[in-house]
Amino acid sequence: MSDRTPADRFLDAAIGLLHRVRDEEADSVAAAGALLADTVADGGRLFAFGAGHSSLAAQDIVYRAGGLALMNLLAVPGVVGVDVMPATLGSALERVDGLASAVLDASPARAGDALVIVSLSGRNALPVEMAMSARALGMRVIGVTSVAYAAETTSRHVSGTYLKDHCDLVLDSKIAVGDAELTLDDVPAPFAPASTVVTAALLQAVAATAAATLAERGIEPPLLRSGNVDGGHDWNDRVLDQYADRIFYRR
């Protein structure tokens, strides 16, 4: 009998997925980082969106120590996180046609900006419509999704398409359909999701690439520092003031 615990097995599965995205998505990560760097250098703004648990990875790159100060969260009421009551309402809102377009129209987003859309399945109306509407507006779109869902599930958007079909770049998280890495004979359902770990790592890799790309071009990347280190707040105040016209989470 194996002495590997469920914790061991989950961590090994997550590490394996991280190795896969490192090796198989390297070109896409480089291209996504370059796209964000191009946007910053050209005076554009950066936005991130995710619904439900996919919003966790999007939030992880907004107003983050060590992250790009220009990344703004594009929030859709009721679907960012699981704080809406009942929590199932958030899942229902992801399937509502027209919601993404209304949110985007009311946002400060404009042509020339970049939008990162995180959706594990990429099948619901909200992320598909968000990508379509953003590109129609003239934004560049990076999709972070599991491409496997497009082959093994049906789309919930009227077009029959998925998030991956409406992006300038796609990052494949490699997460299996169902997002559960473990099974046990005496547990009736698969368990232990790894999508948040992998997706957050993918987006931090993209942000790191963007920062390094800007530096290579002689442009100081607009990075935030931790407020819990000496001088951090002064540093951040300077960056936030310098780019005040492209930062919307202070208003």
Side-chain angles (χ1 to χ4, degrees), residues 157-200:
H157 188 260
V158 64
S159 67
T161 59
Y162 297 78
L163 170 62
K164 73 176 186 64
D165 299 317
H166 304 283
C167 299
D168 296 279
L169 290 169
V170 174
L171 300 176
D172 184 1
S173 63
K174 316 294 181 182
I175 300 295
V177 173
D179 192 17
E181 295 300 320
L182 302 185
T183 58
L184 287 174
D185 291 341
D186 56 353
V187 177
F191 59 102
S195 60
T196 303
V197 174
V198 176
T199 304

Side-chain angles (χ1 to χ4, degrees), residues 31-124:
L35 189 155
L36 295 188
D38 289 343
T39 304
V40 172
D42 292 341
R45 293 86 60 79
L46 309 178
F47 295 88
F49 165 76
H53 286 95
S54 289
S55 72
L56 297 176
Q59 292 179 60
D60 191 53
I61 56 171
V62 176
Y63 189 53
R64 182 64 189 264
L68 295 168
L70 303 193
M71 187 63 72
N72 301 276
L73 186 67
L74 186 62
V76 177
V79 304
V80 181
V82 292
D83 56 340
V84 62
M85 294 296 292
T88 51
L89 176 60
S91 298
L93 289 172
E94 289 187 62
R95 300 191 290 272
V96 174
D97 292 327
L99 180 57
S101 296
V103 168
L104 199 58
D105 288 345
S107 79
R110 65 189 183 193
D113 293 344
L115 173 61
V116 177
I117 300 177
V118 185
S119 175
L120 176 60
S121 72
R123 68 188 297 223
N124 288 312

Side-chain angles (χ1 to χ4, degrees), residues 5-18:
T5 67
D8 292 335
R9 292 174 56 207
F10 172 76
L11 291 171
D12 285 346
I15 290 167
L17 286 163
L18 290 171

